[in-house]
Amino acid sequence: MKRYVYYCLISVCIGMTVACKNPQTRKAESPAQPKTTDNAAGHALFPAPEIPSVITTPNERRIYLTTHYWDNFDFADTLLLDNRDVTEQGFVNLISLLSDGVSSSDEINQSLDNLCSRMESHPYARRLFMRLFDDYLYNPNSPLYNEQLYLAYLERMQKSQAIDDATKSTLAFKQKLISRNQPGTLASDFTYYLPNGRARKLHRTSVPSNRLLLVFYDPECPGCHEIMQDMLHDQALAEVVAGGKLTVLAIYTEGNPEAWRKDLPNLPDNWTIGTDREAIKLNALYDLKAMPSLYLLDGNKKVILKDAPYARIRAALRL
């Protein structure tokens, strides 16, 4: 999956140049259109819509392309759907266009409605595209991870007449979970317990530096180890914590207290370490899709960065 994602992004940059340029450059050019016929090697290409010649401005051409993107696609053709070079690549190209920072919310909603309205009435296509939305927009390891686009998709599919109530309930739960702890909002409060058993609240945790790095972690998670080691061996991070410019609160969210206590000596003495005794997961307070999950908060516990890669955390802290 991950290898194919990167292949897709390379293809996006070559086949649809508009998605890879900065906004200032994009304003001066029209979106490139993939060919709608087979190429010289005989491989099928995505059947992109023909933009009317009367539409001349770059912005209007981009809007037409994203709105009518799936008009020529046959959602009943299972062979076409299974052709990843056409279907999955086409999906990636569109998501890249909608993630350009230029598309308005109305444009995004119209584009997603065009796709969902066409795929939802075909069971095979519906299952395939719902998986693509999950894999590319909701998987934190995806280069196209985008909560705002995913939320727009969830909202649209909850209005669908083609899916059952159980599926809608799952989508509604995801929407509620993702909507929590958005940047600019107050982080969800929770109780955590120090190694000595004393209980504390997130909202009452002292943050003299006005910056709190909230780390949800699991020492038994193989995928967590590399990122945690990067943090533990980051001299710049250690210096800002030692200098009182950053408070680090590391919370163990899983159900093996023995593993948590065994790992305590591996963490810095000037970090605050606690366990929530699984309350965060049980009450769905945070969307912990992958570990570690990093949140940067201010002194009032407002979210600055949500579930951000460590590189973004470092950049925000100017390390």
Side-chain angles (χ1 to χ4, degrees), residues 87-116:
T87 305
E88 191 162 348
Q89 182 66 71
F91 178 85
V92 166
N93 288 353
L94 175 64
I95 293 304
S96 298
L97 284 170
L98 297 178
S99 303
D100 62 3
V102 176
S103 300
S104 67
S105 58
D106 286 342
E107 181 186 343
I108 290 171
N109 290 334
Q110 288 178 12
S111 181
L112 295 182
D113 182 63
N114 174 268
L115 169 55
C116 293

Side-chain angles (χ1 to χ4, degrees), residues 212-257:
L212 171 67
L213 177 55
L214 179 57
V215 181
F216 297 111
Y217 77 105
D218 176 11
E220 296 185 294
C221 166
C224 304
H225 185 74
E226 182 177 352
I227 298 176
M228 290 296 291
Q229 288 301 308
D230 287 345
M231 296 174 63
L232 294 175
H233 292 91
D234 188 338
Q235 187 60 36
L237 178 66
E239 289 176 0
V240 296
V241 175
K245 298 179 181 179
L246 176 69
T247 300
V248 177
L249 173 60
I251 301 297
Y252 174 68
T253 61
E254 304 308 304
N256 189 344

Side-chain angles (χ1 to χ4, degrees), residues 20-303:
C20 301
K21 296 181 180 293
N22 63 52
Q24 295 302 319
T25 302
R26 188 181 300 109
K27 290 178 181 179
E29 298 179 7
S30 299
Q33 298 179 61
K35 297 179 181 179
T36 58
T37 58
D38 287 0
N39 61 19
H43 299 297
L45 297 176
F46 186 83
E50 186 77 22
I51 301 179
S53 59
V54 295
I55 301 178
T56 58
T57 68
N59 188 56
E60 289 177 338
R61 290 175 67 81
R62 177 182 54 77
I63 292 175
Y64 185 94
L65 176 61
T66 57
T67 303
H68 296 271
Y69 192 81
W70 300 96
D71 286 3
N72 298 330
F73 189 89
D74 185 359
F75 288 90
D77 187 341
T78 56
L79 290 178
L80 178 64
L81 289 165
D82 286 337
N83 188 331
R84 297 178 68 185
D85 290 334
V86 177
T87 305
E88 191 162 348
Q89 182 66 71
F91 178 85
V92 166
N93 288 353
L94 175 64
I95 293 304
S96 298
L97 284 170
L98 297 178
S99 303
D100 62 3
V102 176
S103 300
S104 67
S105 58
D106 286 342
E107 181 186 343
I108 290 171
N109 290 334
Q110 288 178 12
S111 181
L112 295 182
D113 182 63
N114 174 268
L115 169 55
C116 293
S117 296
R118 293 170 183 274
M119 64 84 163
E120 64 186 356
S121 58
H122 301 279
Y124 187 79
R126 183 172 67 248
R127 290 193 298 271
L128 185 148
F129 277 94
M130 291 182 74
R131 176 182 60 78
L132 291 178
F133 274 107
D134 287 346
D135 287 349
Y136 282 100
L137 296 183
Y138 192 51
N139 182 345
N141 294 319
S142 167
L144 295 177
Y145 175 71
N146 189 313
E147 282 193 350
Q148 297 310 310
L149 285 182
Y150 193 69
L151 282 171
Y153 151 74
L154 292 175
E155 183 176 355
R156 167 57 183 80
M157 288 306 293
Q158 288 179 70
K159 301 174 183 177
S160 173
Q161 300 299 315
I163 59 177
D164 57 35
D165 290 341
T167 302
K168 288 185 178 181
S169 178
T170 299
L171 298 179
F173 175 79
K174 284 185 177 181
Q175 182 181 25
K176 181 178 180 180
L177 187 58
I178 297 171
S179 298
R180 289 178 172 171
N181 305 299
Q182 290 291 326
T185 67
L186 191 65
S188 298
D189 198 14
F190 59 87
T191 299
Y192 63 92
Y193 301 85
L194 301 173
N196 62 11
R198 293 181 59 185
R200 288 186 180 178
K201 288 278 193 178
L202 170 67
H203 286 182
R204 295 183 180 179
T205 298
S206 177
V207 185
S209 59
N210 197 39
R211 287 294 181 269
L212 171 67
L213 177 55
L214 179 57
V215 181
F216 297 111
Y217 77 105
D218 176 11
E220 296 185 294
C221 166
C224 304
H225 185 74
E226 182 177 352
I227 298 176
M228 290 296 291
Q229 288 301 308
D230 287 345
M231 296 174 63
L232 294 175
H233 292 91
D234 188 338
Q235 187 60 36
L237 178 66
E239 289 176 0
V240 296
V241 175
K245 298 179 181 179
L246 176 69
T247 300
V248 177
L249 173 60
I251 301 297
Y252 174 68
T253 61
E254 304 308 304
N256 189 344
E258 291 80 12
W260 173 60
R261 289 191 175 278
K262 183 179 179 181
D263 184 66
L264 288 174
N266 297 325
L267 301 179
D269 292 336
N270 56 5
W271 288 18
T272 301
I273 315 297
T275 174
D276 72 330
R277 298 178 181 176
E278 299 187 90
I280 289 174
K281 291 196 304 182
L282 292 175
N283 295 294
L285 297 179
Y286 288 78
D287 188 13
L288 304 180
K289 296 186 291 294
M291 292 290 188
S293 185
L294 309 178
Y295 287 69
L296 184 62
L297 313 181
D298 68 11
N300 295 318
K301 314 308 183 302
K302 284 189 177 181
V303 178

